[in-house]
Structure formats: C-alpha cells, structure tokens
Amino acid sequence: MTAILRIESRKRVRGSAILLAVFAVLSALYFSMFPGVQEEMDVFEEAFPGFMFELFGIEQLHTIEGFIAAEIYSFFWILFVGIYFAYVSAGLIAGDIQDLSLIHIS
C-alpha cells in the first residue's frame, strides 16, 4: 500500500510544487497589501454589525492575524483544494485512458 502511495505521489510532485509556489506568491501579495489596508479596516468594522464578524470568525480585521484568516484561509484553501483535486482527478482519468489505450494496442 505504501509503495503505491510513494509511486503515485512522485508522479505529482511537479504540480504540487507549482501550486505551493503560487500559494506562496499570493500569500506574499496579501502580506504586502496589509499595511495599506490596515487603516481602512476600522471604517469597515464600523460599517457592519458586530454579529457578522463573529459569525464569520473575523473579529480582528485590523490585525495581521485577522486579515490573513479572513482573506487567505477562507479563500485560498477552498480555491487550491479544488484546483488540487481537479488536477489529481484529471491525472487519474488521463492515466486510466492511457492504460486502456495500451491494452487495446497490445
């Protein structure tokens, strides 16, 4: 079982590394964007009722932790998990089709 996992994971190292690099670049973008947005967060927090921030778990938007939790974790995890599963699924389907075509040629 672990041998199959090692073999299959080696095939997907490049795609996983690319997704990790994209995630790192976008995270760096958000970290660099935070100081400019920090002053405006007080206005944003006053515009909405308090229960909305508690509902979404983003009470501290004016801190770096709250900003990252609101932006990166909620958006990027859903986005990149979906992309990763689509990538893995497409690889499995392409592998099955390639194996099937090799069986018919033989």
Side-chain angles (χ1 to χ4, degrees):
M1 181 72 173
T2 58
I4 294 171
L5 179 63
R6 273 185 283 146
I7 291 169
E8 291 297 319
S9 62
R10 284 184 194 147
K11 292 179 184 177
R12 291 167 183 34
V13 169
R14 191 184 101 199
S16 299
I18 290 171
L19 285 175
L20 180 66
V22 168
F23 182 70
V25 168
L26 289 174
S27 297
L29 173 74
Y30 273 99
F31 277 109
S32 67
M33 188 174 73
F34 174 72
V37 176
Q38 185 177 12
E39 294 92 24
E40 299 174 11
M41 285 301 157
D42 292 331
V43 175
F44 185 71
E45 287 178 349
E46 291 172 2
F48 289 98
F51 74 90
M52 289 195 62
F53 294 103
E54 292 174 13
L55 178 68
F56 293 109
I58 52 174
E59 296 90 9
Q60 302 295 325
L61 280 177
H62 59 279
T63 64
I64 188 74
E65 297 88 5
F67 181 74
I68 297 302
E71 295 295 328
I72 290 181
Y73 297 140
S74 63
F75 178 70
F76 286 130
W77 281 117
I78 293 170
L79 178 70
F80 283 115
V81 166
I83 289 171
Y84 181 74
F85 281 120
Y87 171 75
V88 169
S89 301
L92 289 173
I93 292 170
D96 287 344
I97 291 173
Q98 184 179 13
D99 291 343
L100 192 60
S101 65
L102 289 176
I103 290 172
H104 287 279
I105 292 174
S106 309

